[in-house]
Amino acid sequence: MQDAKTLYQRFNNDLSNLDFGQNPQRLYDPVYYSLGVGGKRIRPILCLMACELFGSNYEDGINAAIGIEIFHNFTLLHDDMMDKADVRRGKPAVHVKWNENIALLSGDAMSVIAYKYICETKSNLRQVLEVFSDTALKICEGQQYDMDFETMSEVSEKQYLLMINLKTAVLLAASLKIGAIIAGANEKDKKNIYEFGENLGMAFQLQDDLLDTFGDPDVFGKNIGGDIVANKKTYLLIKALETADTKQKKELNNWLSLKTFDPIDKVHSIKYIYQNLGIPEFSEQLMNQYFDKAFAKFDQINEKIFNKSILYNYALSLKQRDF
Amino acid sequence: MQDAKTLYQRFNNDLSNLDFGQNPQRLYDPVYYSLGVGGKRIRPILCLMACELFGSNYEDGINAAIGIEIFHNFTLLHDDMMDKADVRRGKPAVHVKWNENIALLSGDAMSVIAYKYICETKSNLRQVLEVFSDTALKICEGQQYDMDFETMSEVSEKQYLLMINLKTAVLLAASLKIGAIIAGANEKDKKNIYEFGENLGMAFQLQDDLLDTFGDPDVFGKNIGGDIVANKKTYLLIKALETADTKQKKELNNWLSLKTFDPIDKVHSIKYIYQNLGIPEFSEQLMNQYFDKAFAKFDQINEKIFNKSILYNYALSLKQRDF
């Protein structure tokens, strides 16, 4: 079994050597661009680790891993259009670098290319495709809920958790399960590794929300407070609105309603309310509950501890990330 | 074997009973809406006819036929966004009835749903998926070329024919070939039925361009002259610019450059130039060449004439259509 660093390098190398097509240029250039701006490659690494954990190898899993990563980047590309987010990983988003029509169509092409790679999977293809398509549709559902939240005055914690489950968690879960399917794992192990990934994904998203507001700006790589500026209904905001007293609620709602404001001032003020309410602690607590559930599911996977350690260490590194 | 009318009714009935999902509503409502506004259902009918022609039955082909029709409607939905076309089959386009984000995301969901149905195909799934994905990607390429043409001062006949091949013809071809693959047709027949469909598709698109300008407004169902108003680089315009004398070319280019104009006046004037240049005749000639090639390929298909007659008659009805 290969460790995360080796898989990351090997995967990136393979990805950068792929030839999807060349003409028309304005269709394919954004595809290479999107995949070239980097990322942690968490989903393909999980897929490949699961594949190796259950006794198969890199070569058997690589096409599915590539398909999953391309699909993930396709969703980011279209999400950035919908969210009017102009920057992705420090570079201009496709709809900014080119235009909206190009972003729309090259995204569509990426989703087809993703399927092309998934379909190159040699073993248990039908099962792989079933999990992949179900997950792809759930991701669309999650994104729609996320957009619906923008115009809702109140979003419950339960609604929020369903949204991040669909938008983020199920793809991490599916990446692992697809690796396990390819390797021919048994039903119980497939279920456990899926639930490990699902809980890991929930924790991962809660952590992302937390880092967006309380991360170290030099390490996190995005502007701290972006969610606050955009009034994004994150766990932090939902929990704050739920626990705030009348005065704090009024102040929060006032910031949310302002059309013009000093962003630094807004971030500072809302962070201050969050801290007074103990929101970072609430958030960390819930996040750790999901990490604990994830590791409990992981313990039930019926493979040798020695083999499991690589995936375990990788999940642990995600838990300890600050970027 | 069932005739076109029976297949049309049966297919529409099956399509209208499908359950893709319900929540979030704003994701799924546009999917039902898009598929419910009708259409000729040419692609699924071709797929099912090919399936039956080579000895298989409706049940074996229906999932692929549904997947193809959903994919086709997904491309229309996103194309309407890119072209800023507000009406589709006499009803408001999804991005008008809802909004751009909803149209973008429900289109994405439709492409996944299309794959879900394709993947329900029981026989020769890998081959079916290969043809389907290759075709889906070609359709994206065709749409990109079509958009590229908008900003190009000159488009050659050759470039135009490549564009409609990718954007329209290959999906008709693939629909037939997928039906043939499902039924286990031999390599030669699969090739012939593909080329039959490809040439039929070329003829079909040339006919569409012709009807858009010279069709009977009471029968065609769209506003006559829409392509002229929008400066669309159709075969008619490309051929006219190629064959016009200096005076006619100047007049054409003048109309193309006007930012404000009376649409009726513009349509009337450009139609007049087309007629003087014999463009409808050029266009019909080329269209008939493609129909002839299509039927020549059809003749080579190694099945009993009696069985072939239903598909033959259907293709003939497309040739004779005036809507």
Side-chain angles (χ1 to χ4, degrees), chain A residues 234-266:
Chain A
T234 62
Y235 182 75
L236 307 176
L237 179 58
I238 290 163
K239 197 74 188 169
L241 286 167
E242 191 189 307
T243 53
D245 63 23
T246 319
K247 191 176 156 256
Q248 288 163 322
K249 205 164 184 174
K250 207 177 147 191
E251 205 188 327
L252 272 171
N253 281 321
N254 182 45
W255 277 114
L256 295 175
S257 66
L258 287 180
K259 296 276 174 234
T260 51
F261 52 82
D262 173 21
I264 294 172
D265 201 12
K266 181 174 176 180

Side-chain angles (χ1 to χ4, degrees), chain B residues 10-28:
Chain B
R10 214 171 150 187
F11 177 81
N12 266 345
N13 186 51
D14 283 352
L15 189 70
S16 66
N17 284 319
L18 296 177
D19 182 3
F20 309 119
Q22 307 299 333
N23 290 306
Q25 254 195 315
R26 283 154 66 87
L27 181 70
Y28 288 108

